[in-house]
Coordinates of all heavy atoms in Angstrom, one line a residue:
P137 N 14.9 38.1 19.3 CA 15.4 39.5 19.0 C 16.0 40.2 20.2 O 16.8 41.2 20.0 CB 14.2 40.2 18.4 CG 13.0 39.5 19.0 CD 13.4 38.0 19.2
I138 N 15.6 39.9 21.4 CA 16.1 40.6 22.6 C 17.4 39.9 23.2 O 18.4 40.5 23.4 CB 15.0 40.7 23.7 CG1 13.8 41.5 23.1 CG2 15.6 41.4 24.9 CD1 12.6 41.6 24.0
T139 N 17.2 38.6 23.4 CA 18.3 37.9 24.1 C 19.3 37.3 23.1 O 20.4 36.9 23.4 CB 17.8 36.7 24.9 OG1 17.1 35.7 24.0 CG2 16.8 37.2 25.9
H140 N 18.9 37.2 21.8 CA 19.7 36.6 20.7 C 20.0 35.2 20.9 O 21.0 34.6 20.3 CB 21.0 37.4 20.5 CG 20.8 38.9 20.2 ND1 20.3 39.3 19.0 CD2 21.0 40.0 21.0 CE1 20.2 40.6 19.0 NE2 20.6 41.1 20.2
E141 N 19.2 34.5 21.8 CA 19.4 33.1 22.0 C 18.5 32.4 21.0 O 17.5 32.9 20.5 CB 19.0 32.7 23.4 CG 20.0 33.3 24.4 CD 19.5 32.9 25.9 OE1 18.4 32.3 26.0 OE2 20.3 33.2 26.8
Q142 N 18.8 31.1 20.7 CA 18.0 30.3 19.9 C 16.8 29.7 20.6 O 17.0 29.1 21.7 CB 18.8 29.1 19.3 CG 19.9 29.6 18.3 CD 19.4 30.2 17.1 OE1 18.5 29.7 16.4 NE2 19.9 31.4 16.8
V143 N 15.6 30.0 20.2 CA 14.4 29.5 20.8 C 13.5 28.8 19.8 O 13.7 29.0 18.6 CB 13.6 30.7 21.5 CG1 14.4 31.3 22.6 CG2 13.2 31.7 20.4
L144 N 12.6 28.0 20.3 CA 11.7 27.3 19.5 C 10.4 28.0 19.3 O 9.8 28.5 20.3 CB 11.4 25.9 20.0 CG 12.6 24.9 20.0 CD1 12.1 23.6 20.7 CD2 13.0 24.6 18.6
R145 N 9.9 28.2 18.1 CA 8.7 29.0 17.8 C 7.7 28.0 17.2 O 8.0 27.3 16.2 CB 9.0 30.2 16.9 CG 7.7 31.0 16.6 CD 8.0 32.1 15.7 NE 8.4 31.7 14.4 CZ 8.8 32.5 13.4 NH1 8.8 33.8 13.6 NH2 9.1 32.0 12.2
P146 N 6.5 27.9 17.7 CA 5.5 27.1 17.1 C 5.0 27.6 15.7 O 4.8 28.8 15.6 CB 4.3 27.0 18.1 CG 4.5 28.3 18.8 CD 5.9 28.6 18.9
I147 N 4.9 26.8 14.7 CA 4.5 27.2 13.4 C 3.5 26.1 12.9 O 3.5 25.0 13.3 CB 5.6 27.4 12.4 CG1 6.4 26.0 12.2 CG2 6.5 28.5 12.8 CD1 7.4 26.1 11.1
T148 N 2.7 26.5 11.9 CA 1.8 25.6 11.2 C 2.3 25.4 9.8 O 2.5 26.4 9.1 CB 0.3 26.2 11.2 OG1 -0.1 26.3 12.5 CG2 -0.6 25.2 10.5
V149 N 2.5 24.2 9.4 CA 3.0 23.9 8.1 C 1.8 23.3 7.3 O 1.1 22.4 7.7 CB 4.1 22.8 8.2 CG1 4.6 22.4 6.7 CG2 5.3 23.4 9.0
M150 N 1.6 23.9 6.1 CA 0.6 23.4 5.2 C 1.0 22.1 4.5 O 2.1 22.1 3.8 CB 0.2 24.4 4.2 CG -0.9 24.0 3.2 SD -2.4 23.3 4.1 CE -3.1 24.8 4.8
S151 N 0.2 21.1 4.6 CA 0.5 19.8 3.9 C -0.8 19.4 3.3 O -1.9 20.0 3.5 CB 1.0 18.8 4.9 OG 1.2 17.6 4.3
Y152 N -0.8 18.3 2.5 CA -1.9 17.8 1.8 C -2.0 16.3 1.9 O -1.0 15.6 2.1 CB -2.0 18.2 0.3 CG -2.1 19.7 0.1 CD1 -1.0 20.6 0.1 CD2 -3.4 20.3 0.0 CE1 -1.2 21.9 -0.1 CE2 -3.6 21.6 -0.1 CZ -2.5 22.5 -0.2 OH -2.6 23.8 -0.3
R153 N -3.2 15.8 1.9 CA -3.5 14.4 1.8 C -4.5 14.1 0.7 O -5.1 15.0 0.2 CB -4.0 13.9 3.2 CG -5.4 14.5 3.5 CD -6.0 14.0 4.8 NE -7.2 14.7 5.2 CZ -8.4 14.4 4.7 NH1 -8.5 13.4 3.8 NH2 -9.5 15.0 5.1
T154 N -4.6 12.9 0.3 CA -5.6 12.5 -0.7 C -6.9 12.3 0.0 O -7.0 11.8 1.1 CB -5.2 11.3 -1.5 OG1 -5.0 10.2 -0.6 CG2 -3.9 11.6 -2.3
A155 N -8.0 12.7 -0.6 CA -9.3 12.4 -0.2 C -10.1 11.9 -1.3 O -9.8 12.1 -2.5 CB -10.0 13.7 0.4

Side-chain angles (χ1 to χ4, degrees):
I138 299 175
T139 65
H140 301 291
E141 295 179 353
Q142 294 296 311
V143 295
L144 292 178
R145 181 180 66 178
I147 60 170
T148 299
V149 177
M150 179 52 69
S151 179
Y152 292 89
R153 61 178 176 82
T154 59

